Amino acid sequence: MTLNERIAELTAKVEEMKAANQEELEALRIKYLSKKGEISELFNEFRAVSKEEKAALGQPLNRLRQMAEQRMTELKEAVAAVAESAVVRDDLTRTPDPMALGARHPLSLVREQIIDIFSRIGFTVADGPEVEDDKHVFGMLNFAPEHPARDMQDTFFVEKEDGVQKPTDILLRTHTSSVQTRVMTEFAKRLRNGEDGAIRVLCPGRVYRNEAISARAHCFFHQVEGLYIDKNVSFADLRQALLYFAKEMFGEGTDIRLRPSYFPFTEPSAEMDISCDICGGKGCAFCKGTGWVEILGCGMVDPNVLEACGIDSKVYSGYAFGMGVERIANLKYRVKDLRLFSENDVRFLRQFESC
Ligand code: PHE
């Protein structure tokens, strides 16, 4: 066989090289690439041939060695990968690779804390849809038909199926009071069936308002609203529950103040401030020098609302309150820009309690 033919034959063999494990790999290296291997042997013979033959054979011979080396590297990687997966597959008791722990979202932490505080005085959680109808968000809550909150400025309406862009009855809820109308309607049904009882629920959830996004406003945020309906519920009951909440949430030294306000679904209505815990009530930039910061709206449920839900307002009364979770979180954690809560920047999220 000429040198040329032997190069061609070896090239074909090298192309076909296979190794299932480390030993086979080593055997191939010795057979072809070691000092006494077949390829080195060809190089020895090459040294002795004529100039013309050297010119013709140099290239294919070099190519053969390069190919063999490259093929060996590929086989080495394949054998290593098989060995690695065999370890993973075989040793089920092996300690797993450490996983980075996440952190609870600050809004989840605050929402759960609010729920925990009220659950200690008998409140349970009620849930409802985020895509709602006008009736549950406004109509049954005593909003007059022309009330500005129904305006397209504030409310996201859901398009009709035919795609016509005009206000429809279906919208994204602007507050979780919509869950309260559902709970009250169910309660009224139970009363009609001869049952007795009371309502003590919290309605946490996401709400939507058509606002320009900035550091202080977003087109969605989170609320926890509360509702207590029973016989003989008074404004004093409301004040006491909220005072308890403020002290649990912001510390024993916290004071509250109720300012008269207006909501269509409560009468009388109030806004609640807590004493500013940054300056201790002396007045600072955070409380704009007043010593107080507003945290929620509340009031006695308007009899019109009870009646709209089918509850006899001569027998039952109740209170309701609603707060923004972002606002409470801002007070607790001093987050200055609302947008941080929804940007999912892990550098922000990692600062809160890890799970
Ligand atoms: N629903 C009101 C809001 O979204 C809050 C509120 C709830 C006020 C209950 C009074 C009573 O702003």
Side-chain angles (χ1 to χ4, degrees), residues 164-175:
V164 178
Q165 278 221 337
K166 61 180 178 198
T168 69
D169 222 23
I170 308 298
L171 43 89
L172 299 182
R173 65 182 181 193
T174 56
H175 53 181

Side-chain angles (χ1 to χ4, degrees), residues 174-175 177 180 209 223 225-226 263 265-266 297-299 320-322:
T174 56
H175 53 181
S177 304
Q180 304 185 353
R209 291 184 195 177
Q223 286 190 322
E225 294 211 353
F263 297 104
F265 34 88
T266 46
C298 60
F321 57 85

Side-chain angles (χ1 to χ4, degrees), residues 47-68:
R47 259 176 233 126
V49 300
S50 69
K51 241 188 178 172
E52 296 76 48
E53 273 186 293
K54 269 195 179 128
L57 296 176
Q59 256 196 7
L61 191 53
N62 270 323
R63 219 181 302 121
L64 168 64
R65 185 164 60 187
Q66 274 168 14
M67 219 176 84

